[in-house]
């Protein structure tokens, strides 16, 4: 059977996209492509966006970000997805949508489920911290609600780009050569390493990032595409930062609907400390359960397709 055949039997329609390629890449080249796209694509876009929007580059690497800073940083991921789109189209000779957006069926349902699950899963560690007195919430910042919704656009770009390069492209090229287990494992390792240099990262935070990578990988495999995980990732980040006012993977955002912070004497292992709630053991428990459920959903979908 030719490696370019799109109708090859695979564990998930998501993985079938690589068989549309006339000149598919392998896992090693795939990792290089992802790294180059991130380094070159995001840097090039940032060099345009930061001066254009009047944003502070210093704030994007550790300071508190205004809405403009946040948008410039998040929208710079357009350079990443743009470079990957060129590689997929010009080198691999396949449609860009084949990285995880074909078939485009029940898109609204998948997006809605992704957003809803993000709100629920994040609400558990935040709610437990609030009820136990570990978190304290300030007043609602009415004047910043509009800006917070604008920021959702930026998170949609950033989160979708990360899903495309890891749960989409990298899983596909790895599966074709090394199989499903290696595909899931490699994207999880790469995704975790990409977040390893974030400000105030901890061991618990890295474990949680790894769990998120596994949860979203099995979810994407079960769905057969990236629509749901893109929505989950975007809303997960947005609710932390622009809704609750919690640090997002160490990123401090100033345009928020609420201000949620640890109370005096609160336990960083529960609140996540300066990394945000993604560094909380409560989040570890929630993500572990979510990962197990996503894996079962993937297994059911795979059995049903046989």
């Amino acid at each position: 059977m030719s490696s370019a055949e799109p109708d090859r039997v695979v564990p998930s329609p998501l993985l079938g996209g690589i068989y549309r390629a006339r000149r598919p890449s392998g896992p090693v080249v795939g990792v290089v492509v992802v790294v180059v796209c991130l380094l070159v694509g995001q840097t090039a876009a940032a060099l345009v966006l930061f001066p254009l929007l009047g944003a502070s580059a210093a704030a994007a690497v550790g300071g508190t970000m205004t809405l403009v800073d946040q948008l410039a940083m998040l929208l710079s991921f357009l350079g990443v997805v743009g470079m990957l789109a060129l590689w997929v189209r010009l080198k691999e000779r396949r449609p860009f949508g084949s990285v995880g957006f074909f078939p485009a069926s029940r898109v609204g349902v998948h997006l809605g489920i992704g957003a809803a699950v993000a709100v629920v899963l994040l609400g558990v560690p935040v709610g437990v911290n609030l009820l136990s007195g570990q978190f304290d919430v300030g007043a609602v910042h009415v004047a910043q609600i509009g800006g917070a919704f604008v920021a959702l656009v930026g998170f949609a770009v950033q989160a979708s780009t990360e899903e495309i390069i890891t749960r989409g492209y990298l899983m596909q090229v790895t599966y074709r050569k090394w199989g499903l287990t290696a595909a899931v494992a490699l994207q999880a390792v790469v995704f975790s390493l990409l977040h390893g240099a974030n400000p105030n990262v901890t061991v618990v935070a890295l474990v949680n990032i790894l769990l998120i990578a596994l949860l979203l990988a099995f979810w994407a495999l079960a769905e057969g595409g990236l629509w749901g995980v893109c929505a989950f990732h975007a809303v997960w980040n947005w609710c932390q930062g622009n809704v609750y006012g919690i640090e997002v993977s160490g990123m401090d955002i100033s345009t928020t609907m609420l201000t949620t912070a640890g109370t005096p004497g609160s336990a960083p292992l529960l609140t996540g400390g300066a990394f945000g709630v993604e560094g909380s053991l409560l989040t570890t428990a929630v993500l572990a359960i979510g990962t197990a459920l996503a894996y079962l959903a993937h297994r059911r979908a795979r059995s049903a397709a046989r």
Side-chain angles (χ1 to χ4, degrees):
M1 180 175 287
S2 168
S3 64
E5 290 185 29
D7 57 349
R8 175 172 175 160
V9 176
V10 293
S12 167
L14 170 67
L15 300 172
I18 189 61
Y19 295 104
R20 291 175 176 262
R22 296 181 184 177
R23 297 187 298 181
S25 304
V28 176
V29 171
V31 171
V32 173
V33 168
V34 166
V35 172
V36 171
C37 287
L38 283 166
L39 292 177
V40 178
Q42 188 173 13
T43 300
L47 289 174
V48 174
L49 286 169
F50 275 83
L52 182 65
L53 298 178
S56 168
V61 293
T64 299
M65 289 190 290
T66 66
L67 178 60
V68 171
D69 300 332
Q70 181 185 352
L71 286 174
M73 190 275 290
L74 296 175
L75 293 177
S76 66
F77 280 83
L78 287 170
V80 180
V81 76
M83 282 192 65
L84 182 63
L86 289 174
W87 176 266
V88 167
R89 186 63 185 169
L90 300 180
K91 189 275 178 186
E92 297 190 357
R93 303 290 181 86
R94 58 173 169 139
F96 179 67
S98 66
V99 298
F101 299 107
F102 293 157
S105 59
R106 302 178 68 214
V107 172
V109 173
H110 292 309
L111 292 176
I113 292 173
V117 172
V119 171
V120 171
L121 290 192
L122 184 62
V124 173
V126 172
V128 171
N129 274 309
L130 285 170
L131 292 173
S132 63
Q134 298 290 316
F135 270 161
D136 182 49
V137 177
V140 177
H141 306 303
V142 177
Q144 297 189 30
I145 292 177
F149 276 103
V150 171
L152 179 57
V153 176
F155 271 127
V157 170
Q158 170 264 330
S160 297
T161 298
E162 291 187 2
E163 293 307 311
I164 288 167
I165 64 176
T166 53
R167 261 66 75 181
Y169 180 75
L170 195 53
M171 276 221 301
Q172 288 181 345
V173 298
T174 306
Y175 167 76
R176 176 182 163 272
K177 296 288 286 188
W178 294 348
L180 182 59
T181 300
V184 172
L186 182 60
Q187 65 82 29
V189 170
V190 170
F191 185 74
S192 300
L193 290 175
L194 292 177
H195 291 78
N198 284 24
N200 306 306
V201 68
T202 64
V203 173
V204 175
L206 286 176
V207 169
N208 288 345
I209 295 298
L210 181 66
L211 285 172
I212 288 174
L214 294 174
L215 187 161
L216 296 183
F218 292 128
W219 182 339
L221 290 168
E223 178 188 315
L226 298 177
W227 298 104
V229 295
C230 285
F232 175 95
H233 197 157
V235 173
W236 173 271
N237 286 351
W238 178 68
C239 282
Q240 288 179 80
N242 295 104
V243 176
Y244 289 121
I246 301 170
E247 290 84 355
V248 185
S249 299
M251 183 173 65
D252 190 11
I253 292 171
S254 65
T255 303
T256 64
M257 297 186 191
L258 303 169
T259 299
T260 306
T263 56
S266 60
L269 285 177
L270 296 179
T271 65
F275 190 79
V277 76
E278 282 180 337
S280 167
L281 287 175
L282 296 171
T283 305
T284 306
V286 169
L287 293 175
I289 295 171
T291 301
L293 293 175
Y295 175 74
L296 292 175
H298 155 60
R299 295 288 297 179
R300 284 196 298 270
R302 185 173 181 177
S303 297
R306 288 176 179 173

